[in-house]
Amino acid sequence: MKTVDLNADMGESYGPWMMGNDAALLDIVTSANIACGFHAGDADVMARTFAMAQSRGVGLGAHPGFADIQGFGRRRITLSTEELGNLITYQLGAAQAMARSAGGTLRHLKLHGALANMASEDIELARTCYAAAARLQPEIVIMTLAGTAQEAAADGLGLNRAGEIFADRAYNDDATLLDRKRPGAVIHDAALAGPRVAEMVREGAIITASGKRIPTRIDTICLHGDTPEAIEIARSVRNALQSAGITLRRL
């Protein structure tokens, strides 16, 4: 029987401005990737989100990104190796403290937005991020974009790794994500998202926008919390996986 984790990006509100419905998502997913205050979130939002996730038995994860609140971390920024390492260390440390304060333990790390996309293309950049995380928490699980340089970087460092696919994003034929500026890059149809993900898990392969199959290890499936259809897509994915006999379990 196949077993997968279902994760969602969350904790992306800021002050009185609300992003997504984290409470509803936490009743569906098994792991939470919580923003660390740089691309989104703040101390209060982090505290609330970690506490909600912990109370539901959801796996706690850090979701660090570029210091780019206005661009939601989706703009590419060039940093030195030292700056990049410090960026990860700072945010991971904050997430560890918030998890501990909520009575839990941080389990995993997943890069956000432009930082994640750059790490999927550049193994040295990915290695810098993951090495910084490993210095702080050697046993941490790194969520890596399946089939990309992120995997090679984590494996090369000997880290615990979980291969991740996306429920609501389209793929290029090299396993990278289709640019959000391109039509069809983000999947909004819940009726399409669920069966598509179940098919990928059954086949053990990424299905690209062109229909190509890329064999890969699938340990976890990501849902984005910032789209209007997030809850409907999450329910569709969970139902489709369970209907296919696939067990959901946190990392």
Side-chain angles (χ1 to χ4, degrees):
M1 180 180 291
K2 291 182 180 291
T3 300
V4 294
D5 172 63
L6 191 58
N7 76 79
D9 303 340
M10 60 182 65
E12 294 173 329
S13 300
Y14 190 81
W17 183 79
M18 300 301 293
M19 167 70 82
N21 188 342
D22 292 346
L25 272 178
L26 284 167
D27 288 331
I28 300 170
V29 301
T30 52
S31 290
N33 320 310
I34 300 172
C36 303
F38 272 35
H39 78 275
D42 57 38
D44 296 325
V45 170
M46 287 181 73
R48 287 196 302 270
T49 311
F50 272 104
M52 284 194 298
Q54 174 65 12
S55 71
R56 288 165 170 79
V58 172
L60 307 179
H63 196 36
F66 284 130
D68 177 29
I69 287 178
Q70 186 177 14
F72 199 61
R74 289 178 176 156
R75 297 185 289 196
R76 296 191 175 215
I77 298 174
T78 301
L79 298 176
S80 69
T81 299
E82 181 181 9
E83 289 172 324
L84 190 57
N86 290 337
L87 182 90
I88 298 300
T89 301
Y90 188 100
Q91 293 179 76
L92 179 55
Q96 288 176 324
M98 287 297 185
R100 193 174 303 121
S101 179
T105 302
L106 197 78
R107 301 168 62 86
H108 69 272
L109 175 140
K110 173 186 165 182
L111 301 178
H112 167 80
L115 180 58
N117 290 334
M118 291 167 70
S120 73
E121 304 159 2
D122 184 340
I123 190 171
E124 292 302 326
L125 188 150
R127 186 179 288 120
T128 296
C129 293
Y130 299 153
R135 285 193 293 271
L136 205 58
Q137 188 173 334
E139 75 285 0
I140 196 167
V141 177
I142 305 293
M143 283 188 183
T144 57
L145 290 177
T148 72
Q150 290 186 14
E151 285 190 339
D155 288 343
L157 291 167
L159 303 179
N160 295 321
R161 177 176 68 77
E164 178 188 52
I165 63 169
F166 285 84
D168 53 6
R169 293 295 309 278
Y171 282 90
N172 296 306
D173 283 348
D174 63 355
T176 59
L177 297 174
L178 194 66
D179 192 300
R180 283 179 174 269
K181 298 174 184 175
R182 299 273 303 278
V186 179
I187 295 168
H188 297 284
D189 185 354
L192 169 66
R196 170 180 174 267
V197 166
E199 184 178 4
M200 286 198 278
V201 174
R202 282 196 306 268
E203 292 192 18
I206 292 169
I207 302 175
T208 72
S210 70
K212 178 181 177 181
R213 265 65 173 170
I214 305 173
T216 191
R217 189 180 104 194
I218 300 173
D219 301 303
T220 187
I221 299 158
C222 176
L223 304 159
H224 287 98
D226 62 313
T227 60
E229 310 85 6
I231 304 304
E232 288 75 15
I233 288 175
R235 289 183 179 133
S236 172
V237 169
R238 185 180 181 99
N239 291 339
L241 290 170
Q242 291 177 327
S243 295
I246 298 162
T247 301
L248 297 177
R249 183 180 301 155
R250 74 179 189 179
L251 293 175

